[in-house]
Amino acid sequence: MTYWLAKRRTVQQTDTIQRFDPRFWTVNFPRPAMASVVTTAPDALRVDAVFRKADDLIGLIWESEDKWDHPLLAYDTQRDYSRLTLSFRWRSAGVLPLDAVNGPTLTIEGRNAAGNARAWYVRLWNYAEGTPTDAQVTLRFSDLSGGFLLPSEADPVYPADIDRLFISLVAPGYGAGNAAPFAPSVDGWVELTGMSCQGHKPMLTIGDVMVPPHGLSMCTGYDDAYNLTPARVLREIRGLGYRGSINHYIGMSHFYAMVPDGAGGFVVDPALPAMNPAARRWHEAFMAGTAAMGHTVIASQSYELLAQNCPSEWQQRAEHGDPARTGWVPPSALLSPANPQAVAWLRKVALALVALMQGAGLPIRYQVGEPWWWMTLDRRICIYDDAAKAAFGGNPVSIPDMGANLNAAQKAILDQAGAMLAQSTAELCAAVKDASGAAGAETLLLAFLPTVLDPVTPEALRANLPVGWASPAFDTLQLEDYDWVTAGKDALRAQARVIAEARLNYPRERQHYLSGFVLLAENAATEWARIDDAANEAVALGVAETFVWALPQVSRDGYTRLPGASGEDTMQSFDDVLFPLALGRDASVTPEFSTNVTITASGFERRNSLWSDARMRFDVGPGVRSDAELGELISFFRARRGQARGFRLRDPSDFSSNGMTGNPTPADQVIGTGDGATSHFALVKHYGQSADAQRRRITRPRSETLRVSVNGAETGDFTIEPRGVIAFTVAPPAGSIITAGFLFDVPVRFAQDSIDISGAEFAAGEAPSVPLVELREDA
């Protein structure tokens, strides 16, 4: 397996779409408003809007530049709308009609003929025929003007340099700057049907790659995809080679229904439906589209809500009343498993998810995502909300620092908290299974190991990885550890998996693994490499499914997972066998570099070294001295299929970390410095003593000769992984010097697909030429 961070299309397959294709419109709005856009036909879309304040404004948007799709799937940027006509039928309800003063307006953002940024405000009613709620709209961009009244207020649009089109939607009773809440919320909708684009350049080139299936599945989240059409999201997943399950987190900030809280904000109301109309419409389309593609959905629900919308009494709290808050901006709150109203609302949402999957004909797969008792940055656990304190007897023991040595009473209350958490998740899963009826349901638990198994807070697992979750409490255990993955903390990852598997006892075939994610785009190159390796590791471990978290970061960074080889290409490219020593004893050795030398007109030289490490060449022909050895050479050559397969060669002049041929000691070569997190160190050999010493990667050590020390103390607490990588069980402490000694071979291949041997010349004592070339394995 391998991957690629694509920045742009080059030779990949393309197709064309009609400009203004309904799949590629988006919506946007400020909180607390809500909206979604879905495709209802190849030439139609629908916007569902939820207005919660008098000044809420929702936009339906077309962007000239595709800012949302993966680079291999994006449409080409086209800012020239000259001589282009967009037409559609407009139907609406619950929004101001076309003829109203603040009715639907097309805002065109771009530049004028002089290149100066500006916007035009085009009243759609000026270009409509029909009624204010059911009209045919025709927009000829080369004959389009802003202004409320035409022609008296005409402001001609310059159509050749447009960035964005924005159709504004507001509720009846709209007032700019009027933040008065609507009680209840105002629901509206708009449909654009029969959408047609004609005239000059009505088509756009779009990426049309179809990456072959590679065995991984995809994660999405509604909080990241609410502004896109489900069709667009699913097109990306399919095109990038993801199959099987889609792990879909419904989020913590967009799906729910709310009422005014009396203090200028809005709060979740358990008496309202579990989802607001816009989110419900989006999820109906998403589930239906998933089923049509032959995928399944794992509907993921967490104990998390945007803090500003979370009822105060539902929230987990630290000992002195501080509410649990995540580090997201704006922050989310954690729901208390002890609060019956909060748990009842979670159950209501879970049943809504079941109904959505049933409506689409999908199997019921329900995930409880990362349920835990929150811990603050100063390591205070949030098990002290009123409902939890009452459940613990009214005056639970204090735990001021989860990183301290805890006494028996403190451990006992953590066990009680864990049992309470397990009970609440069991109630959710039981409700899901009951609602699923005879068809049954798969229940899944997602545990985030860097939090629940942080070695700084070793007793946290009592509360946050309770034994009540042990098999068969759930059908499937899902593990994720992305903080450790992207930080390279592989020793912690390995230890945590051992603990989780021993504590919960789910076999690998009943486990999933979530690999990701890259928070900041500037870290993409380093962190995607680690994420991809972690996904490979999970596949090798034999877990049932491996997911990439998540689609927005995949698209942003161009992460492209490529499938493994198949058919005849699965032949091993390297045979881990040694070239017969007797034949290689008299090999000629040629280290070579690649250097560009430029001689100036004045005779001076400029030299540019292209390789940081020498590449070795050998000729093993001189070692062949008899007919028997000649036969052995030919047999070995045929077994390698000429150049096709690599093998090991003992360089007769340089095969040890100690000098060139000495006996290895654990202090021979410095291979790294510990940082307390990194557990993997590659074997290297240095030539020279200065800071400019040439560094050679050793990928084929003799494992039985390997000796390793940490700060001068020899250790055996490691394993040797492929290509000469040392994996410590426990990451060496920060500042420690890691050294190693070893014997090694050189990975080589035959330099050509034929061996020319003259019987007469060989009989006369002339050795054949059998060139070998070193293989680069350190990439």
Side-chain angles (χ1 to χ4, degrees), residues 558-583:
Y559 174 75
T560 309
R561 176 78 173 193
L562 302 176
S566 60
E568 293 183 358
D569 291 336
T570 60
M571 179 186 71
Q572 290 293 321
S573 61
F574 191 92
D575 293 335
D576 199 22
V577 298
L578 183 66
F579 187 78
L581 182 61
L583 301 185

Side-chain angles (χ1 to χ4, degrees), residues 2 147 212 247 339 354 406 417 485 487 508-509 568 597 706 739 753 765 771:
T2 187
N247 197 98
N339 186 286
V354 170
L406 305 185
V485 170
R508 296 272 170 79
E509 61 269 20
E568 293 183 358
V597 179
L706 185 59
T739 57
D753 281 328

Side-chain angles (χ1 to χ4, degrees), residues 9 14 63-66 74-78 204-207:
R9 287 195 312 275
T14 61
E63 292 176 291
S64 299
E65 179 185 359
D66 189 340
Y75 58 79
D76 285 358
T77 300
Q78 178 55 266
L204 295 176
T205 299
I206 189 169

Side-chain angles (χ1 to χ4, degrees), residues 45-47 88-93 95 98 131-137 169 189-193:
L45 61 81
R46 176 185 172 105
V47 178
F88 50 84
R89 181 185 179 188
W90 172 282
R91 296 177 61 246
S92 64
V95 302
L98 290 169
T131 73
T133 59
D134 187 350
Q136 184 70 28
V137 177
L169 309 173
W189 57 267
V190 172
E191 288 184 343
L192 274 57
T193 59

